[in-house]
Structures are given as C-alpha cells and as structure tokens.
Amino acid sequence: LLDHALLALQGPKAETVLSRHSLKLDTLNFMWGTKTEIAGLNCWVSRSGYTGEDGYEISVSVDKAVELTEKLLAEDEVKLAGLGARDSLRLEAGLCLYGSDLDETTTPIEAGLGWTIPKRRRHLNNFPGSDKIIQEFSKGPVRQRVGILPTQNAIARKGTVITADNGDDLGIVTSGGFGPTVGGPIAVGYVRTHAATMGEQLNLRIRNKAVTAVAVSYTHLRAHEPLRYLVCR
C-alpha cells in the first residue's frame, strides 16, 4: 500500500525485543501474519524477513513509521541498517533475488527451489512450465545454482563469467558481494551441472584477471555466529 511503510526487525532475539512492545507475537509462527498493536500503533506483522534469521516485517502507516522506528531503536540491542546490509545477509543465507538469481528463464529445479512445488502439483502436471520442470525432476537440469567462495580477496559481481581450468565456459555469477559474518567475498551463480559438485574448483574472470573459487552449498556462505539486530527501512 502506498500509504504504508515497511520495517524489518531481524535477528536471533527479534522475538524478545518486539515482545516488549506487543503481547500477541509469541504464538506467531514463521510465514504467518496478524494485525496487532506495537507500541500502541496499529500494524500488520508477519514473521518473515530476507536475512536468513528469525525476525518480523512490520507494515505501519507512513505517518507513524518514524515514531515506530525510533521506539525500536531505543532498545539497546537494535541498530539501524539499510538495504545494503539486507542484501549481503540474504546472499549469505543463499536466498534468491528476483531479477538477479531468478527470472523468467530460470526453473525452480535449476535454482534449488523444487521443494516449492508440492507432490500434488507434480502429479497433475498442469502448471506453467510443467513439462520442462517435471522432466528436470527426473533427469536433472542442465545447470544448477551454487554458492561460490573466491579463494582471493576479490568481489565477483553479477555478470562475472565462470570457467573451468581449460577455459571452457561453465556459467555466470548472478549475485556477489562481501559476506559480513564470513569476513570475505561470497557469490552465487549458475554452472553446468557437472561442475556443481561441492568443492569443485571454479575460475572467475574479475577485471580481466583469473581468480580461483570453490563451489559450496548455500549454508557455507554464512559463518555460524549470531547477527546483530537490524531495522531495515
């Protein structure tokens, strides 16, 4: 809605922080939403987010957004962050961004999102793109999305070409940046299926220089340590 703003409170203790301002959130499950008051303000709250951490997305009227933000920032644990922080965290969590990691040419199987298609839909085989997708379920896709860890301190941005040792084209990076909990560069991209094995050595062409990298699972793009709290505006 154009007359509403969206705040995101993210982090392993987001429930503890937000519960100080609302009495209705302890029973709210992941990906569920509810109308409730937060700090006396009417809000719509969903237990979701885009950082790979527990947290909430809070919709509040535009004229109350600054007031609510300031009340949350008054909590000792809460720090203000922007969409740049959000993007680096979703990348560490292996979460796709439409327009980069997903588009109309990408299938759920290639992206590692086959779990989003329930067995009933697979059996009916009557959804958009079902012929190709069902075939990929049984035979596998031509390419697959992988996590990528450069072995040097070089950022592989969107569009970086991925090659094999012999120079053969393997694919392309779709998102890349600095991983704050890893403390180094990370990326995701699509490579030919035979090169999607975890531990496979890849070569990245960054500023006309060859940089080696390793294919990893999405869970290896983030260090196992808690995040600070974020309020994304």
Side-chain angles (χ1 to χ4, degrees):
L1 297 176
L2 295 179
D3 59 350
H4 277 64
L6 186 67
L7 306 179
L9 183 71
Q10 303 283 289
K13 293 185 179 180
E15 178 184 332
T16 299
V17 173
L18 202 57
S19 292
R20 297 170 189 164
H21 301 275
S22 178
L23 301 177
K24 197 178 177 181
L25 299 176
D26 57 342
T27 59
L28 187 64
N29 294 324
F30 178 64
M31 293 303 291
W32 285 78
T34 186
K35 288 183 178 180
T36 186
E37 285 190 359
I38 298 179
L41 303 174
N42 293 323
C43 300
W44 174 267
V45 183
S46 63
R47 192 157 194 166
S48 57
Y50 203 42
T51 63
E53 289 285 345
D54 187 20
Y56 302 88
E57 292 179 304
I58 308 164
S59 178
V60 63
S61 63
V62 169
D63 61 335
K64 300 295 183 182
V66 172
E67 178 182 347
L68 180 56
T69 300
E70 289 177 345
K71 287 182 177 181
L72 293 175
L73 286 172
E75 300 291 346
D76 291 338
E77 304 95 333
V78 179
K79 303 295 181 183
L80 190 65
L83 292 180
R86 187 287 314 269
D87 192 59
S88 64
L89 294 173
R90 72 91 190 166
L91 179 58
E92 283 194 331
L95 303 178
C96 292
L97 178 65
Y98 190 82
S100 294
D101 312 307
L102 298 173
D103 57 29
E104 293 181 350
T105 70
T106 310
T107 71
I109 314 307
E110 293 173 331
L113 299 174
W115 56 270
T116 63
I117 305 175
K119 291 183 179 180
R120 178 183 63 83
R121 297 298 301 277
R122 301 181 200 179
H123 178 72
L124 292 174
N125 191 17
N126 63 354
F127 54 89
S130 60
D131 288 343
K132 180 177 182 179
I133 292 171
I134 295 302
Q135 184 179 49
E136 288 184 346
F137 265 121
S138 60
K139 297 183 178 180
V142 174
R143 61 173 188 162
Q144 287 184 274
R145 185 168 63 100
V146 295
I148 300 168
L149 284 179
T151 58
Q152 303 172 35
N153 191 27
I155 301 295
R157 301 292 185 185
K158 177 181 178 180
T160 298
V161 174
I162 306 171
T163 65
D165 284 338
N166 62 5
D168 287 349
D169 179 45
L170 293 179
I172 195 168
V173 171
T174 53
S175 290
F178 182 83
T181 71
V182 175
I186 58 175
V188 297
Y190 288 86
V191 297
R192 296 182 182 276
T193 300
H194 73 269
T197 304
M198 300 302 96
E200 181 80 10
Q201 180 171 314
L202 307 172
N203 292 294
L204 309 174
R205 177 60 61 177
I206 302 176
R207 299 187 187 91
N208 293 321
K209 294 182 179 180
V211 175
T212 58
V214 177
V216 298
S217 67
Y218 313 133
T219 57
H220 284 80
L221 293 178
R222 168 168 291 177
H224 296 288
E225 59 184 62
L227 300 179
R228 299 182 70 88
Y229 305 109
L230 303 173
V231 178
C232 301
R233 291 213 300 175

